[in-house]
Every structure is written in C-alpha cells, then in structure tokens.
Amino acid sequence: MSTNRDYYEILGVDKSASEDEIKKAYRKKAMKFHPDRNKGDSEAEKKFKEASEAYEVLRDKEKRAKYDQFGHAGVNGQGAGGFGGGGADFDNMGFEDIFSRFGDIFGSGFFGEEAFGGGGRRGRSRRSKEPGQPGSDMKIRMSLKLEEIAFGAEKKLKIKKQIKCDSCGGTGAETNSDFETCSTCNGMGEVRQVTRTMLGQMVNVQTCPTCNGDGRIIKNKCKKCSGEGRVKGEETIKVNIPSGVSEGNYITLRGQGNAGRRGGPAGDLIVLIQEKEHENFSREGNNIYYNLTLSIPEAVLGTEKQVPTLKGKAKLKIDPGTQPGKMLRMRGRGIKGLNNSGEGDQYVRLNVYMPENLSDSERKAMESFKKSDNFSASNAKGNEKNFFSKMKDMFG
C-alpha cells in the first residue's frame, strides 16, 4: 500500500505530536477499524492498513525526519527517486502480522473493555498547550536546473510572510506584565459544557470565545502589531536541495512558514520542486540522454567526439561502421540518486546527417559509392526484419 494522504492527517495528530501521542492515535484508529468490529468491510480494512503504514513511518525517528523533509518520496522505495524503503508491505500483510510487528502497543486490553468503550477517561487538570495560535503553512515553487538536481545545491529564497513582531517579541503586549488570566476559562483556553443523557454525561469541549484559546487577555496591546504578535515582513531562507529530486517532490522546512499569533508556533514552508528543461539533455530517472549527430564519413570511418556531460565535456569514441540509432553508454555520467543510492548513466543516441544539396564532385563521389558492392543495402544483415519489427513496434 502506498497512500498519498498525509500520515499525520491519517492518524489525526499535529506535525509536532510526540511519540506517545502518535502511538495513542494509532491505537485508537486500530481499535476503530479492527477486523473483528468490521467483518467483511473492505473499506475498514483499507483504513486499518493505511493507519498502520502511517504509524510504521512516524514511530521511527529516522523515517519520520525524512518524511517531514521530503514527504512520501522520503520513505518510498519505488518511484520518484525513493529515499529508502518505508518498511513493510501492509497491502499483503495479515492482521495478525501487523499486531505482531508493533509488539505490545495494543496491550492485553485491546480486545477487552478498553477497546470497546469500557473504562474512564481522565480529563485535563490544567491547560497543556502553549499560548498563542499556530501560524499557517506556506507553499512555494522552486525551479531547478538539471545540474542542481544531479549534484544537489544550496538555494536562497526571499520569502514575504508574517514574521514575529520585534517590538513585543511576538507576545502582542506592550510589556510582559500586560497580561491577565481569562476569567471565562480560568486560563484553560477552553470551556466545557456537560449534558446529561440516558447514556450518561456528555462533555462538549470548545475553544474559549473570550481569549480564542490563549487562556489570557492582553490589557495593553503592542502598538506596532496591534496585539497580533506578528507583522508582514521578508526573510531570506536557505534550502538544501539533495541530489536526485524529481518534478513533484517537495521539501518541508519546519517552522519557516508564517509566524504564529501571539507567540504561537510558526507554520511550515513547503518547497515544491520543478525541473527546468535542459538544452542538451532529457532525463529518465537517474539516467540522462543526449542526441549526437554524425556526418556520413564519421559514421563510416569512425571518429572521436567531444560531447557535453553534466560534469563538463568528455571524449566519446565512435567505432567505424556505427549504425544510426545506436545508443552508447557513458557510465556514472548521470544523476546521483537520493540517499546516495548510486549514480545513473548518460546515454548518447547516434544520428547520421544526410545532406540535402550536393556539389557536382560530391554527387560523383556518391555515385561511385552507389556502384560499390560494399555500400549495397543488401549487405545489411536482417535489414528487412529490423524494418518490419520497428514498424510493428510503432503501430502494433
């Protein structure tokens, strides 16, 4: 299974979630879509395995770091220049194997009361989140030359965004003493309404409407940012581009997006990769292709040509009698793969130029060749077979 959905979204956790929060979120999803509770439900099975795939990545610090920076390309073993294996093939794994893989995360209570609604849930005794509201994520597109993709690069970007107010330090208040605890929520940042029903008490938790979840009120707002704790500005950000990225890959820079409100955490900056068209080369995976045109004498007699590569010009030997369409391989002249997964090669396609206008002397020379048995097309072994095979490939 290889889902395109965000792993954090699948588990229903924030990108800053702790290992314990991720574990609890997966356990909750696994209980919800457990096969014993959803017998014959293929959609539930899909969601169970989807959640397992997300947990497989996010529970591992190294895999999570790669996913956070490069998205799915960072943990997929196939396509788009994968950064390394993401782990197990959950699509072809049974439920028992998945339970076994994650050890005792489910515990003995997984099939008991706790899994199916038993036990109590402890409420929070104090406000656990930090003051302020998170900033929004930003997306930008970055166009890269093939040379930058081949060997990696460090790029600098000037980003217009919301930045922390330097006058109040992002708090939104004139001074640190200009705060008071919100009387509506008593600093909790949320209010609760308890409703009694036939099934027991139902608790509805909402963000405090007075302080917007901050848990405190500003008495004297900062004049520069009007109490927001952030202002419009511009920052120069460095982006390290690893070799081997592809069109559609993205790099996530944590905390480089818009600043949070009143001291809240900043959002992320997501850099979408675009490839610029190269004047000499085309790309296929980590390999590159170059078209080299020879003259008739060069193809017949053989020659040595200087051809461009991503590392500069290099000599390429052309053997006598080289046929048009032949592909020559230059090892290690391609793109360095992601995660040091090896270098691709450069392939050179050979074409032969046919002049349209000939001088009298050139025409006479060609007429003499025409009469030579050595230049007869009948000497081309398998010529007819090759022709019809090519036609079959084109139209078959």
Side-chain angles (χ1 to χ4, degrees), residues 274-288:
Q274 290 183 320
E275 294 184 28
K276 291 182 179 178
E277 186 175 347
H278 201 279
E279 60 179 351
N280 292 322
F281 305 111
S282 58
R283 177 188 180 185
E284 187 176 310
N286 291 331
N287 298 323
I288 60 172

Side-chain angles (χ1 to χ4, degrees), residues 348-361:
V348 181
R349 297 187 187 94
L350 300 181
N351 301 312
V352 176
Y353 171 69
M354 298 295 177
E356 295 181 3
N357 299 311
L358 299 175
S359 65
D360 291 340
S361 58

Side-chain angles (χ1 to χ4, degrees), residues 297-303 317-323:
E298 287 174 332
V300 173
L301 302 176
T303 186
K317 183 180 179 182
I318 312 297
D319 292 331
T322 297
Q323 300 298 311

Side-chain angles (χ1 to χ4, degrees), residues 58-162:
L58 298 185
R59 72 173 179 148
D60 186 287
K61 290 183 179 180
E62 184 178 346
K63 291 177 184 176
R64 182 178 178 180
K66 290 179 180 178
Y67 176 75
D68 284 346
Q69 187 173 9
F70 303 107
H72 289 283
V75 292
N76 289 341
Q78 303 292 330
F83 285 58
D89 179 10
F90 291 97
D91 226 10
N92 297 311
M93 187 179 288
F95 292 112
E96 295 80 4
D97 294 327
I98 294 176
F99 295 144
S100 175
R101 183 177 186 83
F102 296 139
D104 62 353
I105 179 178
F106 302 110
S108 59
F110 182 76
F111 298 100
E113 284 188 351
E114 190 177 346
F116 298 103
R121 181 178 179 183
R122 293 175 294 177
R124 295 185 299 177
S125 60
R126 59 186 297 273
R127 185 173 180 271
S128 60
K129 72 170 194 171
E130 295 297 323
Q133 298 170 6
S136 59
D137 294 343
M138 300 178 64
K139 288 184 180 181
I140 62 170
R141 298 183 183 276
M142 177 184 287
S143 296
L144 299 174
K145 299 177 182 177
L146 191 57
E147 288 81 359
E148 294 172 325
I149 291 173
F151 308 113
E154 182 181 272
K155 306 284 285 184
K156 291 184 178 180
L157 299 173
K158 282 190 177 181
I159 306 296
K160 291 183 178 180
K161 63 177 185 175
Q162 291 176 318

Side-chain angles (χ1 to χ4, degrees), residues 23-38:
K23 182 184 290 185
K24 288 179 179 178
Y26 170 62
R27 191 173 187 273
K28 182 178 179 181
K29 291 286 185 181
M31 288 191 291
K32 181 177 180 180
F33 299 114
H34 184 265
D36 287 347
R37 302 184 67 182
N38 303 274

Side-chain angles (χ1 to χ4, degrees), residues 5 45-46 64 114 128 130 159 166 199 201 212 220 236 254 263 275 285 287 337 346-347:
R5 289 182 60 201
E45 178 182 348
K46 177 183 176 182
R64 182 178 178 180
E114 190 177 346
S128 60
E130 295 297 323
I159 306 296
D166 58 4
L199 300 176
Q201 290 185 345
N212 292 319
N220 296 310
T236 299
R254 298 295 181 201
E275 294 184 28
N287 298 323
Q346 175 170 325
Y347 290 89

